[in-house]
Amino acid sequence: QKEVEQNSGPLSVPEGAIASLNCTYSDRGSQSFFWYRQYSGKSPELIMSIYSNGDKEDGRFTAQLNKASQYVSLLIRDSQPSDSATYLCAAHNDMRFGAGTRLTVKP
Amino acid sequence: DTAVSQTPKYLVTQMGNDKSIKCEQNLGHDTMYWYKQDSKKFLKIMFSYNNKELIINETVPNRFSPKSPDKAHLNLHINSLELGDSAVYFCASSPMGARGYTFGSGTRLTVV
C-alpha cells in the first residue's frame, strides 16, 4: 500500500517564527511532490512543487526533498496569521495526499 | 472565467436518491480527477481521466460512475446515495507532466 504520511499536528507557532511541516512517502518511484494549502471551507491551493533533491525557495516558503530518506518538508519563514490553514503534502505518481497538518499562527 | 468550476456547490438529498455533480475546466488540461474529502479532511482519489479515458479507478463502490464527454468535462453520478457518502467532493485538473492540480471549489454533499 503506497502511503503519504504527515505529522498530524495541529501545529501552533507564534507570529514571525518558522513553521516546519513534514511528510514521508513510501513509493520510491515517486518523482513529483507538491504542497497545497487549504483554508477552512475552501479548496486546496497549490503553493510549492519540488522534483529533485535539495531545497527550493519561493518567497517565505522553502520546500525540501530527500529521496534517499523519502521525506519532503515545507518551511514557512516569518509565519503570519494568514498562513493559518491545513497544509497537504502530495506525491503525484499515484495521486495520493497526506492527511494534512493544521497550522495555527498566533499573533 | 473560473478555471475549474463545479456545480452544485451544496447538495442535500435523501438516502436512496440518485444525484450528479458536474465539473468543467477551461485550462486546457489533459487530466481530470475526482477526490473525496471526509470530515477529517483526508483527500482520497476516486477517479482520474486523461483525455476522456479512465486511467485510475480506486476502490470506490460501483454506485459511483464518472463520465467524461470531452477533455474539459468530468461528471460524477451517484446512485442509491447512502449516509456514508456525505463528504466534500472536489474536481481537479492538471496538465501533462505532473505539474500539480487546480481544484474546483468543491461540492458539499449531505445525505439525510
Side-chain angles (χ1 to χ4, degrees):
Chain A
Q1 176 86 10
K2 297 173 186 173
E3 300 285 346
V4 177
E5 296 192 4
Q6 294 183 243
N7 47 341
S8 56
L11 176 65
S12 181
V13 300
E15 185 174 355
I18 295 175
S20 176
L21 305 159
N22 301 312
C23 173
T24 59
Y25 60 94
S26 62
D27 181 9
R28 283 200 172 270
S30 294
Q31 300 291 324
S32 319
F33 302 89
F34 302 86
W35 283 98
Y36 293 79
R37 178 177 60 201
Q38 187 175 22
Y39 292 115
S40 182
K42 301 293 185 183
S43 56
E45 171 194 11
L46 179 65
I47 55 171
M48 286 290 282
S49 58
I50 188 163
Y51 307 100
S52 52
N53 278 330
D55 294 2
K56 179 181 176 183
E57 191 174 312
D58 184 0
R60 296 185 296 111
F61 297 97
T62 299
Q64 298 174 318
L65 174 60
N66 184 323
K67 289 186 178 180
S69 302
Q70 294 177 249
Y71 86 76
V72 191
S73 63
L74 180 70
L75 300 177
I76 307 175
R77 288 183 301 282
D78 188 23
S79 295
Q80 302 296 308
S82 58
D83 295 325
S84 298
T86 297
Y87 289 81
L88 301 159
C89 170
H92 274 269
N93 269 33
D94 52 5
M95 306 169 198
R96 296 185 191 276
F97 282 77
T101 300
R102 195 162 122 203
L103 170 68
T104 301
V105 180
K106 297 192 172 177
Chain B
D1 58 344
T2 305
V4 181
S5 59
Q6 283 180 241
T7 54
K9 195 169 173 61
Y10 300 97
L11 189 50
V12 181
T13 187
Q14 291 189 324
M15 279 175 55
N17 283 351
D18 303 340
K19 291 293 177 186
S20 292
I21 306 172
K22 295 188 175 184
C23 179
E24 176 182 0
Q25 55 98 1
N26 63 5
L27 298 166
H29 288 171
D30 296 294
T31 310
M32 296 184 72
Y33 313 83
W34 279 111
Y35 277 87
K36 178 182 180 181
Q37 189 169 48
D38 60 25
S39 56
K40 293 184 179 176
K41 303 298 183 189
F42 184 62
L43 263 175
K44 185 173 177 188
I45 181 73
M46 300 175 70
F47 302 103
S48 171
Y49 269 75
N50 185 271
N51 274 320
K52 301 194 305 176
E53 287 192 25
L54 180 66
I55 57 172
I56 287 273
N57 181 357
E58 288 289 301
T59 307
V60 174
N62 57 15
R63 298 181 294 104
F64 290 79
S65 53
K67 279 207 171 43
S68 182
D70 56 57
K71 188 171 104 159
H73 295 84
L74 180 61
N75 303 322
L76 183 66
H77 188 75
I78 316 169
N79 288 328
S80 304
L81 278 154
E82 300 177 357
L83 292 176
D85 297 332
S86 296
V88 180
Y89 292 83
F90 284 104
C91 177
S93 70
S94 67
M96 283 182 63
R99 296 286 177 220
Y101 300 161
T102 301
F103 281 87
S105 57
T107 296
R108 182 174 293 277
L109 171 65
T110 304
V111 183
V112 297

